[in-house]
Amino acid sequence: MSFASEVKGELCREKLSRPCCACAEAYGVLLFCNSFTTERVRISTQSVAFAQRLPRLFRKAFGVAFDESPEDLNSGGKLTFEVTKPESMETILDTYGYARENSVSHHINYAMLEEECCRSSFLRGAFLAGGSVTDPEKRYHMELVTSHIFVHRELENLLMEMGFAPKSTTRNANYVTYIKRSESIADILTTLGAPLAAMEIMNAKVEKNLRNGVNRWSNCDVANVSKAVDAAQAQIEAIRRLEEEVGLSTLPEKLRETAQLRMNNPELSLSQLAALSQISKSCLNHRLRKLMELSHTME
């Protein structure tokens, strides 16, 4: 089961308590479903949880039943529901103040969303019918898709009034409202009634940040080790050049001791060499640089 399916499953466990919220949720479904005209409502979904919720939602909001609905909700594929009976359509249209003789004006009627609970319910219905959210293990992306330009614009305004900062684009003649910030997605899911999914997003972010931090530290350690190995190799090559050209016995005692120390311990870092020789790191580094300079004069 995809993360989006899990989210919709959690949202569908939200109780249908207040009639105003049921009407608001159904309103979101209608404005983001496949078809909503004066003649027909058509809703298609692959979510079994949403398919189970729809008949209860329409009975609570309108007191009507679907004229067509799937016989087997577990058959797989798309599950389609339709309302076509004139008396049922009249009830639905009257609920939102639509005139039967006119075409449905696809706008968000803010009068239906005056209460905060109704706004959350509306967004829940919109998400169930036309929304998706990506698995947070992969990336952060939540979107609501509608074919109605004014609904799209008014949804953006609604989300901004609620404190969110959505972005928009178009895709295949549809209008997409999307959010990519993990914190905002988690907040919206909590608002819609999916706190467990919101917690999963924040946990995924914490784990990603932890893994990224470990990777940065690991990469830093690898880089430091690589630098230390390269430096040690260069020092050994310089000492061997001095040995071949003039012999280490010709060097001052301290430089000779340092050269021998490095040759005997090629794998040790500068700090480890300093601890072994019981002299300061800066002093040892100075001596090794002196050996490198003497070697360069032999080139």
Side-chain angles (χ1 to χ4, degrees), residues 12 39 45 56 61 81 96 111 116 127 129 155 157 168 175 196-197 225 233 237-238 249 258 269 273 285-286:
C12 288
E39 305 297 329
T45 181
R56 293 185 287 113
F81 297 78
Y96 302 111
E116 185 176 341
F127 181 82
L155 174 67
N157 292 333
S168 63
Y175 302 94
L196 297 180
V225 169
Q233 186 63 36
E237 290 177 1
S249 60
T258 299
S269 66
L273 276 180
N285 188 43
H286 174 74

Side-chain angles (χ1 to χ4, degrees), residues 1 10 48 68 78 104 109 123 127 132 138 140 146-147 159 162 177 183 190 220 235 237-238 252-253 270 277 287 289:
M1 181 182 291
E10 184 179 357
V48 174
E68 294 185 22
K78 287 190 176 182
V104 174
N109 183 354
L123 290 176
F127 181 82
S132 65
K138 299 176 181 177
Y140 306 120
T146 179
S147 59
L159 288 171
M162 297 175 71
T177 303
E183 295 87 352
T190 300
C220 183
Q235 292 161 3
E237 290 177 1
E253 181 181 357
L270 184 62
S277 64
R287 293 181 186 179
R289 282 206 309 268

Side-chain angles (χ1 to χ4, degrees), residues 11 16 28 38 75 89 100 117 140 148 162 164 193 230 266:
L11 291 177
L16 296 169
T38 57
S75 60
M89 288 303 308
R100 172 82 182 188
C117 58
Y140 306 120
H148 313 304
M162 297 175 71
F164 301 108
D230 290 343

